[in-house]
Amino acid sequence: MEDQADILLNNFSGFDFLYSIKTNPFPPVVRFAASRGFGADAASAAEVDLALAAGMAPANIFYSTPGKTKADLESSLGKAHIIADSLHELELLDQLAAEKRMTVPAGLRVNPDFSLSGGPGVSGKFGIDLEIIYEQRDFLQSLKNITIEGLHIHLRSQVLNSQALAGYYAAIFDLAVSLKRDFGWNLGYINFGGGLGIVYSASEDQPLDIPFLSGECTSLWAKYKDELKARLMIETGRFLVGKAGDYHTPIVDIKVSRGRKYLVVRSGLNGFMRPSIAALMAGSGVNGPLTKSAEPLFTSARAFEVSIVGKSGGGTETVDIVGSLCTATDILALDIDLPQAAIGDIIRVGNAGSYAYTLSPLLFSSHQPPMQIFMNSPDNLIME
Ligand SMILES: Cc1ncc(COP(=O)(O)O)c(C=O)c1O
């Protein structure tokens, strides 16, 4: 995490970073992000509170998600920058501001007229279509108790194509210039959303070209700085923490059924769901809808390296690693070659720092959830 933070903080001068709490809301992780100067990308009123509890200042907390209720908005007022995801949310915020006899600054999440691959914009549940913003000019001007203070755009996570990411940043700068000019908004910030991908599979993924992106960001900012004068922000979750976490679960049984060997682990799908989805997708051999755009549920069939702690080399055997839930989908790995395993051995799954505990059906079958441990050093473990 320290190394990943250094990469971001040393290569994107002019940009601030927001830690996407949803990726891993474990308080020591959020505190780590705060300690390195990250603000928060909060996806719920509760994540706004988590960010505050981790020591982040309201000026550095940005609350953006679809479907905020009036209660959510009220709870976050004064604690974070609120980013409206719809016309209805703008209306709610305007009402709230009127009730409180104050003017509330609001960000706008925009669904732009471009996609990350450079094509036209697509339909989606996130943000307000750019065309609708233009069509609703009168409505926007009728909201007397809010001021538009910033923009937020996020299209995709886990992008490893540096050219595409740089093109996306350039398109956002252009869009911000147009909106500022056409609406006269005094934009205090432009939030470029997330997208910074990590290598899940050494055989399949090429890492982001950080020096290239760094150069592109520097020249883009030099080009737009005078016109925009806004605070620039990039959101990131998995880039900071994804590779820092391991999932450990003991083998509690070993069975053979009609020629296949099964290592049964204490906690599979219910403790860490993403490897199950990856194994099922690999096993199915199909390019189903999940392969299209299913982050953070599914990255690729080979996104999770599985091993036995302390055992390597020697003769191997082909096994399935399965959990103890009453569903055949509870799989950590299928047809994997591992050293000879014994009951009591510990299975390790890598790339578990993000979208693990927080994105798993922990309550299913009423099993005990895994324990989360933050390791500052081997003799400094934090369990909360
Ligand atoms: C709006 C927004 N920003 C940032 C992220 C973080 O993505 P990642 O963990 O891939 O960096 C997400 C993930 O879903 C998101 O929805």
Side-chain angles (χ1 to χ4, degrees):
M1 286 164 61
E2 293 283 6
D3 291 347
Q4 294 296 91
D6 286 344
I7 291 174
L8 297 175
L9 300 173
N10 295 337
N11 283 288
F12 294 84
S13 65
F15 285 77
D16 289 339
F17 283 90
L18 304 178
Y19 173 57
S20 299
I21 295 181
K22 65 179 87 71
T23 203
N24 188 333
F26 191 35
V29 176
V30 187
R31 288 201 296 272
F32 167 82
S35 76
R36 296 301 312 265
F38 286 65
D41 156 26
S44 63
E47 286 190 352
V48 169
D49 290 336
L50 259 174
L52 285 171
M56 292 172 182
N60 295 329
I61 303 172
F62 292 78
Y63 175 25
S64 183
T65 195
K68 296 186 226 42
T69 63
K70 197 168 175 188
D72 292 330
L73 297 170
E74 185 161 16
S75 143
S76 309
L77 219 52
K79 298 181 187 169
H81 293 272
I82 296 175
I83 297 174
D85 198 82
S86 68
L87 298 176
H88 175 63
E89 276 186 24
L90 283 170
E91 219 166 4
L92 287 179
L93 207 51
D94 188 59
Q95 272 173 22
L96 199 59
E99 283 163 24
K100 303 212 174 277
R101 295 177 197 287
M102 60 197 284
T103 303
V104 171
L108 271 191
R109 178 153 175 187
V110 180
N111 182 21
D113 56 350
F114 52 82
S115 68
L116 209 130
S117 52
V122 294
S123 172
K125 74 168 185 179
F126 298 102
I128 308 173
D129 291 357
L130 184 66
E131 309 81 274
I132 293 180
I133 293 176
Y134 278 90
E135 284 160 24
Q136 294 293 330
R137 179 186 286 270
D138 290 348
F139 165 77
L140 292 170
Q141 278 167 356
S142 74
L143 303 171
K144 297 292 178 219
N145 306 292
I146 58 179
T147 53
I148 302 301
E149 63 156 353
L151 301 177
H152 179 208
I153 292 164
H154 169 86
L155 292 180
R156 276 233 318 261
S157 285
Q158 183 52 18
V159 179
L160 290 173
N161 182 336
S162 312
Q163 301 264 1
L165 215 44
Y168 164 74
Y169 292 157
I172 293 179
F173 274 118
D174 276 340
L175 184 144
V177 168
S178 304
L179 283 173
K180 184 173 176 163
R181 192 187 51 219
D182 296 342
F183 287 83
W185 290 331
N186 186 13
L187 296 177
Y189 65 82
I190 304 167
N191 179 345
F192 291 75
L196 300 175
I198 56 173
V199 170
Y200 278 94
S201 159
S203 62
E204 286 178 349
D205 299 335
Q206 290 296 322
L208 272 176
D209 185 343
I210 297 289
F212 167 80
L213 263 183
S214 169
E216 290 294 300
C217 286
T218 304
S219 47
L220 282 169
W221 188 218
K223 178 173 165 197
Y224 290 98
K225 177 152 78 184
D226 289 342
E227 186 148 14
L228 286 171
K229 295 189 188 72
R231 177 179 181 190
L232 310 181
M233 293 167 303
I234 292 175
E235 297 171 331
T236 183
R238 77 184 79 209
F239 193 89
L240 191 64
V241 301
K243 300 196 77 69
D246 277 348
Y247 180 70
H248 284 188
T249 183
I251 298 172
V252 292
D253 201 353
I254 297 181
K255 301 167 76 170
V256 176
S257 164
R258 305 207 165 106
R260 282 184 91 87
K261 190 161 190 178
Y262 297 88
L263 310 183
V264 184
V265 294
R266 172 78 180 81
S267 194
L269 163 73
N270 49 325
F272 190 11
M273 182 169 66
R274 277 162 53 81
S276 283
I277 297 175
L280 291 168
M281 291 301 287
S284 72
V286 294
N287 284 324
L290 275 188
T291 56
K292 226 176 89 205
S293 169
E295 284 292 353
L297 288 177
F298 176 70
T299 302
S300 79
R302 274 164 289 283
F304 298 98
E305 187 198 304
V306 176
S307 58
I308 302 179
V309 175
K311 282 191 174 171
S312 62
T316 59
E317 55 180 358
T318 305
V319 296
D320 289 352
I321 306 178
V322 297
S324 51
L325 300 180
C326 300
T327 160
T329 62
D330 185 11
I331 301 162
L332 280 187
L334 285 177
D335 281 325
I336 181 174
D337 290 333
L338 286 180
Q340 198 82 31
I343 291 175
D345 282 350
I346 306 289
I347 293 291
R348 168 196 170 270
V349 186
N351 294 334
S354 52
Y355 306 112
Y357 190 90
T358 182
L359 191 65
S360 300
L362 302 168
L363 299 180
F364 187 56
S365 290
S366 310
H367 284 278
Q368 201 179 356
M371 183 180 288
Q372 298 188 90
I373 303 173
F374 185 88
M375 194 164 88
N376 264 327
S377 67
D379 54 5
N380 184 357
L381 308 180
I382 302 176
M383 289 166 262
E384 291 183 1

PDB file of all heavy atoms in Angstrom, residues 20 22-23 41 109 152 154 157-158 194 235-238 355, ligand 1:
ATOM      1  N   SER A  20     -11.422   5.181  -2.706  1.00  0.00           N
ATOM      2  CA  SER A  20     -12.793   4.652  -2.875  1.00  0.00           C
ATOM      3  C   SER A  20     -13.053   3.650  -1.764  1.00  0.00           C
ATOM      4  O   SER A  20     -12.650   2.488  -1.849  1.00  0.00           O
ATOM      5  CB  SER A  20     -12.938   3.985  -4.244  1.00  0.00           C
ATOM      6  OG  SER A  20     -12.698   4.929  -5.252  1.00  0.00           O
ATOM      7  N   LYS A  22     -15.451   1.958  -0.782  1.00  0.00           N
ATOM      8  CA  LYS A  22     -16.192   0.719  -1.049  1.00  0.00           C
ATOM      9  C   LYS A  22     -15.258  -0.462  -1.331  1.00  0.00           C
ATOM     10  O   LYS A  22     -15.605  -1.597  -1.088  1.00  0.00           O
ATOM     11  CB  LYS A  22     -17.156   0.911  -2.225  1.00  0.00           C
ATOM     12  CG  LYS A  22     -16.451   1.190  -3.550  1.00  0.00           C
ATOM     13  CD  LYS A  22     -17.435   1.340  -4.697  1.00  0.00           C
ATOM     14  CE  LYS A  22     -17.956   2.744  -4.854  1.00  0.00           C
ATOM     15  NZ  LYS A  22     -17.011   3.748  -5.371  1.00  0.00           N
ATOM     16  N   THR A  23     -14.085  -0.173  -1.827  1.00  0.00           N
ATOM     17  CA  THR A  23     -13.172  -1.255  -2.191  1.00  0.00           C
ATOM     18  C   THR A  23     -12.688  -2.023  -0.960  1.00  0.00           C
ATOM     19  O   THR A  23     -12.473  -3.222  -1.018  1.00  0.00           O
ATOM     20  CB  THR A  23     -11.977  -0.678  -2.996  1.00  0.00           C
ATOM     21  OG1 THR A  23     -11.401  -1.701  -3.774  1.00  0.00           O
ATOM     22  CG2 THR A  23     -10.908  -0.078  -2.131  1.00  0.00           C
ATOM     23  N   ASP A  41     -13.671   8.884  -1.590  1.00  0.00           N
ATOM     24  CA  ASP A  41     -14.806   8.679  -2.486  1.00  0.00           C
ATOM     25  C   ASP A  41     -15.765   7.819  -1.667  1.00  0.00           C
ATOM     26  O   ASP A  41     -15.516   6.631  -1.473  1.00  0.00           O
ATOM     27  CB  ASP A  41     -14.301   7.965  -3.753  1.00  0.00           C
ATOM     28  CG  ASP A  41     -15.383   7.182  -4.481  1.00  0.00           C
ATOM     29  OD1 ASP A  41     -16.569   7.541  -4.349  1.00  0.00           O
ATOM     30  OD2 ASP A  41     -15.036   6.222  -5.209  1.00  0.00           O
ATOM     31  N   ARG A 109     -22.848  14.518 -11.027  1.00  0.00           N
ATOM     32  CA  ARG A 109     -22.243  13.381 -11.738  1.00  0.00           C
ATOM     33  C   ARG A 109     -22.842  13.372 -13.145  1.00  0.00           C
ATOM     34  O   ARG A 109     -24.067  13.288 -13.315  1.00  0.00           O
ATOM     35  CB  ARG A 109     -22.506  12.062 -11.032  1.00  0.00           C
ATOM     36  CG  ARG A 109     -21.905  10.924 -11.851  1.00  0.00           C
ATOM     37  CD  ARG A 109     -21.512   9.730 -11.044  1.00  0.00           C
ATOM     38  NE  ARG A 109     -21.057   8.659 -11.922  1.00  0.00           N
ATOM     39  CZ  ARG A 109     -20.779   7.450 -11.509  1.00  0.00           C
ATOM     40  NH1 ARG A 109     -20.880   7.146 -10.237  1.00  0.00           N
ATOM     41  NH2 ARG A 109     -20.385   6.522 -12.357  1.00  0.00           N
ATOM     42  N   HIS A 152     -18.350  15.344 -11.540  1.00  0.00           N
ATOM     43  CA  HIS A 152     -17.832  13.993 -11.298  1.00  0.00           C
ATOM     44  C   HIS A 152     -18.202  13.117 -12.491  1.00  0.00           C
ATOM     45  O   HIS A 152     -19.354  13.107 -12.927  1.00  0.00           O
ATOM     46  CB  HIS A 152     -18.467  13.416 -10.022  1.00  0.00           C
ATOM     47  CG  HIS A 152     -18.023  12.020  -9.700  1.00  0.00           C
ATOM     48  ND1 HIS A 152     -18.812  11.139  -8.998  1.00  0.00           N
ATOM     49  CD2 HIS A 152     -16.872  11.356  -9.962  1.00  0.00           C
ATOM     50  CE1 HIS A 152     -18.159   9.988  -8.841  1.00  0.00           C
ATOM     51  NE2 HIS A 152     -16.986  10.093  -9.420  1.00  0.00           N
ATOM     52  N   HIS A 154     -17.353   9.085 -13.897  1.00  0.00           N
ATOM     53  CA  HIS A 154     -16.673   7.800 -13.723  1.00  0.00           C
ATOM     54  C   HIS A 154     -17.335   6.842 -14.694  1.00  0.00           C
ATOM     55  O   HIS A 154     -18.553   6.706 -14.707  1.00  0.00           O
ATOM     56  CB  HIS A 154     -16.840   7.284 -12.286  1.00  0.00           C
ATOM     57  CG  HIS A 154     -16.399   5.851 -12.116  1.00  0.00           C
ATOM     58  ND1 HIS A 154     -15.095   5.501 -11.853  1.00  0.00           N
ATOM     59  CD2 HIS A 154     -17.083   4.681 -12.195  1.00  0.00           C
ATOM     60  CE1 HIS A 154     -14.999   4.176 -11.766  1.00  0.00           C
ATOM     61  NE2 HIS A 154     -16.200   3.665 -11.973  1.00  0.00           N
ATOM     62  N   SER A 157     -13.960   0.831 -14.151  1.00  0.00           N
ATOM     63  CA  SER A 157     -12.886   0.469 -13.224  1.00  0.00           C
ATOM     64  C   SER A 157     -11.930  -0.473 -13.939  1.00  0.00           C
ATOM     65  O   SER A 157     -12.247  -0.998 -15.010  1.00  0.00           O
ATOM     66  CB  SER A 157     -13.468  -0.292 -12.039  1.00  0.00           C
ATOM     67  OG  SER A 157     -14.116   0.567 -11.185  1.00  0.00           O
ATOM     68  N   GLN A 158     -10.775  -0.699 -13.307  1.00  0.00           N
ATOM     69  CA  GLN A 158      -9.838  -1.732 -13.793  1.00  0.00           C
ATOM     70  C   GLN A 158      -9.509  -1.529 -15.276  1.00  0.00           C
ATOM     71  O   GLN A 158      -9.674  -2.422 -16.111  1.00  0.00           O
ATOM     72  CB  GLN A 158     -10.423  -3.128 -13.508  1.00  0.00           C
ATOM     73  CG  GLN A 158      -9.551  -4.319 -13.874  1.00  0.00           C
ATOM     74  CD  GLN A 158      -8.135  -4.258 -13.291  1.00  0.00           C
ATOM     75  OE1 GLN A 158      -7.872  -3.518 -12.367  1.00  0.00           O
ATOM     76  NE2 GLN A 158      -7.221  -5.014 -13.839  1.00  0.00           N
ATOM     77  N   GLY A 194     -12.633   6.873 -11.176  1.00  0.00           N
ATOM     78  CA  GLY A 194     -11.606   5.837 -11.040  1.00  0.00           C
ATOM     79  C   GLY A 194     -11.237   5.250 -12.386  1.00  0.00           C
ATOM     80  O   GLY A 194     -11.549   5.813 -13.431  1.00  0.00           O
ATOM     81  N   GLU A 235     -10.165   9.127  -8.410  1.00  0.00           N
ATOM     82  CA  GLU A 235     -10.584   8.170  -7.392  1.00  0.00           C
ATOM     83  C   GLU A 235      -9.864   6.849  -7.625  1.00  0.00           C
ATOM     84  O   GLU A 235      -9.644   6.450  -8.770  1.00  0.00           O
ATOM     85  CB  GLU A 235     -12.091   7.915  -7.496  1.00  0.00           C
ATOM     86  CG  GLU A 235     -12.917   9.147  -7.234  1.00  0.00           C
ATOM     87  CD  GLU A 235     -14.384   8.954  -7.548  1.00  0.00           C
ATOM     88  OE1 GLU A 235     -14.705   8.142  -8.434  1.00  0.00           O
ATOM     89  OE2 GLU A 235     -15.206   9.621  -6.926  1.00  0.00           O
ATOM     90  N   THR A 236      -9.548   6.183  -6.553  1.00  0.00           N
ATOM     91  CA  THR A 236      -8.916   4.874  -6.704  1.00  0.00           C
ATOM     92  C   THR A 236      -9.152   4.006  -5.485  1.00  0.00           C
ATOM     93  O   THR A 236      -9.076   4.479  -4.356  1.00  0.00           O
ATOM     94  CB  THR A 236      -7.400   5.013  -6.981  1.00  0.00           C
ATOM     95  OG1 THR A 236      -6.872   3.717  -7.193  1.00  0.00           O
ATOM     96  CG2 THR A 236      -6.652   5.701  -5.858  1.00  0.00           C
ATOM     97  N   GLY A 237      -9.475   2.763  -5.762  1.00  0.00           N
ATOM     98  CA  GLY A 237      -9.652   1.810  -4.673  1.00  0.00           C
ATOM     99  C   GLY A 237      -8.608   0.728  -4.807  1.00  0.00           C
ATOM    100  O   GLY A 237      -7.587   0.708  -4.120  1.00  0.00           O
ATOM    101  N   ARG A 238      -8.838  -0.146  -5.784  1.00  0.00           N
ATOM    102  CA  ARG A 238      -7.975  -1.342  -5.890  1.00  0.00           C
ATOM    103  C   ARG A 238      -6.513  -1.001  -6.163  1.00  0.00           C
ATOM    104  O   ARG A 238      -5.636  -1.762  -5.782  1.00  0.00           O
ATOM    105  CB  ARG A 238      -8.531  -2.275  -6.959  1.00  0.00           C
ATOM    106  CG  ARG A 238      -8.253  -1.862  -8.360  1.00  0.00           C
ATOM    107  CD  ARG A 238      -8.904  -2.773  -9.358  1.00  0.00           C
ATOM    108  NE  ARG A 238     -10.324  -2.467  -9.502  1.00  0.00           N
ATOM    109  CZ  ARG A 238     -11.228  -3.356  -9.837  1.00  0.00           C
ATOM    110  NH1 ARG A 238     -10.897  -4.599 -10.033  1.00  0.00           N
ATOM    111  NH2 ARG A 238     -12.483  -3.001  -9.984  1.00  0.00           N
ATOM    112  N   TYR A 355     -12.447  -5.406  -2.716  1.00  0.00           N
ATOM    113  CA  TYR A 355     -13.694  -6.099  -3.089  1.00  0.00           C
ATOM    114  C   TYR A 355     -13.692  -7.546  -2.590  1.00  0.00           C
ATOM    115  O   TYR A 355     -14.043  -8.470  -3.330  1.00  0.00           O
ATOM    116  CB  TYR A 355     -13.921  -6.032  -4.612  1.00  0.00           C
ATOM    117  CG  TYR A 355     -13.874  -4.619  -5.123  1.00  0.00           C
ATOM    118  CD1 TYR A 355     -12.844  -4.168  -5.952  1.00  0.00           C
ATOM    119  CD2 TYR A 355     -14.851  -3.699  -4.740  1.00  0.00           C
ATOM    120  CE1 TYR A 355     -12.784  -2.855  -6.380  1.00  0.00           C
ATOM    121  CE2 TYR A 355     -14.808  -2.384  -5.167  1.00  0.00           C
ATOM    122  CZ  TYR A 355     -13.772  -1.973  -5.986  1.00  0.00           C
ATOM    123  OH  TYR A 355     -13.726  -0.672  -6.411  1.00  0.00           O
TER     124      TYR A 355
HETATM  125  C1  LIG B   1     -17.501   6.079  -8.864  1.00  0.00           C
HETATM  126  C2  LIG B   1     -16.396   5.115  -8.608  1.00  0.00           C
HETATM  127  N1  LIG B   1     -15.159   5.603  -8.394  1.00  0.00           N
HETATM  128  C3  LIG B   1     -14.130   4.777  -8.133  1.00  0.00           C
HETATM  129  C4  LIG B   1     -14.286   3.413  -8.070  1.00  0.00           C
HETATM  130  C5  LIG B   1     -13.102   2.601  -7.683  1.00  0.00           C
HETATM  131  O1  LIG B   1     -12.734   1.685  -8.564  1.00  0.00           O
HETATM  132  P1  LIG B   1     -11.386   0.874  -8.369  1.00  0.00           P
HETATM  133  O2  LIG B   1     -11.455   0.137  -7.062  1.00  0.00           O
HETATM  134  O3  LIG B   1     -11.380  -0.024  -9.535  1.00  0.00           O
HETATM  135  O4  LIG B   1     -10.255   1.840  -8.359  1.00  0.00           O
HETATM  136  C6  LIG B   1     -15.560   2.851  -8.306  1.00  0.00           C
HETATM  137  C7  LIG B   1     -15.750   1.413  -8.276  1.00  0.00           C
HETATM  138  O5  LIG B   1     -16.794   0.861  -8.458  1.00  0.00           O
HETATM  139  C8  LIG B   1     -16.632   3.735  -8.578  1.00  0.00           C
HETATM  140  O6  LIG B   1     -17.871   3.274  -8.781  1.00  0.00           O
END
